[in-house]
Amino acid sequence: MTLAARPQIPGTRFAERLDRAAAGTAAAGLDALLIGVGADLRYLSGYEAMPLERLTVLALVAGQEPFIVVPRLELGAAESGLRTEIEIRTWDETDDPYAMVADVVDAPHRPSVRIGLSDTMIALHVLRLQAAIATQATYESASSVLRELRMIKDADEIALLRLAAQAADRVVGQIANGRLVGRTEADVAREVRERLVAEGHEEAHFAIVGSGPNSASPHHEASERVIEAGEPIVLDIGGTLGGYGSDITRTLWVTGGDPRKGPDERFRHLFSVLHGAQDAATRAARSGIACSAVDAAARTRIEAEGYGEAFFHRTGHGIGLEGHEDPYLVAGNDLPLRPGMAFSVEPGIYFPGEYGARIEDIVVCGEDGPVVLNEAPRELYVVEG
Ligand code: ZN
Ligand code: ZN
Ligand code: ZN
């Protein structure tokens, strides 16, 4: 897939998002949202700005048209990156960009103002903005407004998540059918990254290849360990396509062609419990159900088999422009699922020092039930490797 062919969110959508963010800002009683470089900026404007020490900030100030402050040398990037009409205010090297924001946010006639800052704005910029704004101000997270918008994916966003999922599915199939035994995890991880890009991702973000005992470490980095016949591999891979994330985990068992080196009984049992738990959690992911209940659907199954201690992470995380975002499928999160929410369902069972397994799909909460975006088989991949 060439860059030109990569699908895009229609430009009109960004204007709608800005309107909704402005309405949300007013409804929350905030005087301004200041959005630094990151997923919030991209969501609202389309602009995938470089994170720099020079300030770039999108300002949504109550009662005013949105504007974006950018360093002059980033003007070209901003003009081509912005997908909707937003006034660009550039600053030169000797200007004070913080004052350009403060001048608009300051309200001399008011005792105080409330300002929402995007979660990924770096402290360097936060502290200088705070110093520049003269009016007594309280600062909070802009996510009180943006979380609600970003959590509910529209049809174009879901289409991109699906394309990303399908591309990652193909890579899983390619890796499972290729050579593995005798190669290092790092070598396989490099192949994963190349294949993710070859299948249409603009970037590969992670390639966890956990072989043998490393399969018991959920966030294992691919190492120089050489993969041997007669052991499992947890393959957890993902990147972005059109800005939206893929994230899939499948568990393989490599035999090296030796029928005596297949999975042992304990591993087969572990895997069947995991498979049942992942399926139960996926089926539980329906509109109106609390995030915590989806986690519980997987966890109770695993606990019932005595493996509760071996499942020590949450069941899933939201996914979109960020690889991990709201909603989180975790005990204690009573947020009800709503149609359009997209998240991973990824229980795992790990015996530290020995081996482990995980199955992960990206699932969208649909009007009529869960829609699973990944189509790669969920069974244990017993392969020659
Ligand atoms: Zn993770
Ligand atoms: Zn993953
Ligand atoms: Zn994940």
Side-chain angles (χ1 to χ4, degrees):
M1 198 181 289
T2 64
L3 203 80
R6 210 168 268 148
Q8 279 200 327
I9 304 290
T12 50
R13 197 82 75 206
F14 295 99
E16 290 166 21
R17 290 174 180 176
L18 283 169
D19 285 346
R20 295 181 64 199
T25 303
L30 288 165
D31 297 286
L33 282 195
L34 300 179
I35 310 297
V37 172
D40 287 336
L41 178 61
R42 186 163 186 188
Y43 178 81
L44 291 171
S45 73
Y47 182 29
E48 195 186 355
M50 288 255 287
L52 297 171
E53 82 290 1
R54 292 186 176 95
L55 181 72
T56 290
V57 65
L58 170 65
L60 302 182
V61 181
Q64 303 198 32
E65 287 298 310
F67 66 92
I68 185 166
V69 171
V70 301
R72 182 173 302 281
L73 71 170
E74 297 296 316
L75 177 60
E79 282 173 337
S80 57
L82 290 170
R83 302 281 316 287
T84 186
E85 207 63 47
I86 296 175
E87 185 199 339
I88 301 176
R89 300 185 184 175
T90 57
W91 58 276
D92 284 303
E93 296 287 51
T94 54
D95 292 338
D96 179 356
Y98 304 97
M100 290 168 69
V101 178
D103 284 349
V104 180
V105 174
D106 268 327
H109 53 289
R110 303 251 314 269
S112 69
V113 290
R114 280 178 61 207
I115 298 170
L117 301 176
S118 62
D119 285 345
T120 57
M121 188 185 288
I122 59 175
L124 172 76
H125 298 318
V126 172
L127 295 172
R128 289 184 185 173
L129 280 168
Q130 289 179 330
I133 293 168
T135 309
Q136 169 75 34
T138 56
Y139 297 89
E140 51 200 271
S141 170
S143 69
S144 59
V145 175
L146 299 179
R147 180 175 179 266
E148 281 301 302
L149 302 183
R150 283 185 48 195
M151 267 197 308
I152 308 296
K153 271 68 181 178
D154 63 38
D156 295 301
E157 293 181 286
I158 292 169
L160 286 169
L161 285 167
R162 187 188 298 275
L163 283 175
Q166 290 172 342
D169 285 348
R170 293 193 293 275
V171 175
V172 165
Q174 291 159 6
I175 295 295
N177 287 319
R179 275 213 59 69
L180 293 162
V181 175
R183 295 174 65 192
T184 65
E185 295 172 348
D187 187 35
V188 175
R190 270 190 294 275
E191 183 186 346
V192 166
R193 289 172 184 273
E194 282 167 17
R195 288 188 181 278
L196 283 169
V197 171
E199 290 294 343
H201 286 74
E202 56 262 7
E203 252 183 293
H205 285 165
F206 56 95
I208 295 174
V209 180
S211 66
N214 293 339
S215 60
S217 170
H219 275 179
H220 173 70
E221 288 287 324
S223 74
E224 291 303 319
R225 185 181 185 279
V226 175
I227 296 165
E228 291 169 35
E231 63 183 26
I233 302 173
V234 169
L235 195 63
D236 184 352
I237 66 173
T240 52
L241 195 157
Y244 283 77
S246 64
D247 188 357
I248 181 174
T249 307
R250 292 294 184 262
T251 301
L252 286 53
W253 185 286
V254 287
T255 66
D258 184 343
R260 293 162 305 174
K261 293 201 165 167
D264 57 75
E265 265 319 300
R266 186 157 174 255
F267 194 85
R268 284 196 181 279
H269 181 65
L270 169 168
F271 194 87
S272 75
V273 173
L274 177 66
H275 194 288
Q278 203 265 352
D279 186 56
T282 301
R283 282 187 286 106
R286 308 183 76 86
S287 181
I289 297 296
C291 289
S292 55
V294 181
D295 181 82
R299 204 164 299 278
T300 51
R301 288 230 170 188
I302 291 171
E303 281 169 351
E305 297 287 338
Y307 293 151
E309 291 286 303
F311 176 25
F312 45 77
H313 58 70
R314 65 189 174 212
T315 292
H317 54 83
I319 189 167
L321 287 169
E322 289 180 289
H324 288 185
E325 60 181 44
D326 284 305
Y328 292 97
L329 307 183
V330 61
N333 185 3
D334 296 330
L335 180 79
L337 291 180
R338 276 177 286 149
M341 288 182 176
F343 41 84
S344 70
V345 176
E346 53 174 310
I349 299 177
Y350 313 98
F351 300 148
E354 199 174 349
Y355 51 36
R358 179 165 67 258
I359 305 171
E360 173 178 27
D361 286 315
I362 300 305
V363 177
V364 174
C365 178
E367 297 280 353
D368 307 310
V371 179
V372 184
L373 300 186
N374 294 98
E375 291 166 2
R378 282 163 207 91
E379 279 61 44
L380 179 63
Y381 290 60
V382 181
V383 294
E384 191 177 317

